[in-house]
Amino acid sequence: MYQFENFKNKPLTERVVDNILSDIADNNIKVGTKLPNKFELAEMFGVGRSTI
C-alpha cells in the first residue's frame, strides 16, 4: 500500500525545494545552470525571501 504525503502540511521551504528539484528533473532547469537570485525566486514562487 502506498502512503501519500499531505502537501499542505509540508513546510513552505520544503515545497519550494520540491518545486526546484522537480524542475531540474523535468529538464526545465538544466544541470549546471545558475539559479535566479533570491529576489527572483521569491517572486516566482510567491514567497518571502526568508523562505528562499
Side-chain angles (χ1 to χ4, degrees):
M1 180 159 78
Y2 293 102
Q3 286 187 347
F4 295 99
E5 294 182 51
N6 186 348
F7 292 108
K8 291 184 179 185
N9 290 335
K10 242 183 179 182
L12 189 54
T13 53
E14 286 184 33
R15 286 187 265 168
V16 169
V17 169
D18 289 345
N19 281 323
I20 292 171
L21 292 175
S22 177
D23 283 345
I24 292 170
D26 295 340
N27 282 327
N28 295 330
I29 299 174
K30 301 290 184 202
V31 175
T33 301
K34 191 174 179 181
L35 291 175
N37 66 40
K38 64 183 173 185
F39 298 102
E40 294 169 331
L41 284 172
E43 188 175 316
M44 286 171 51
F45 292 109
V47 297
R49 288 178 295 147
S50 61
T51 302
I52 299 299

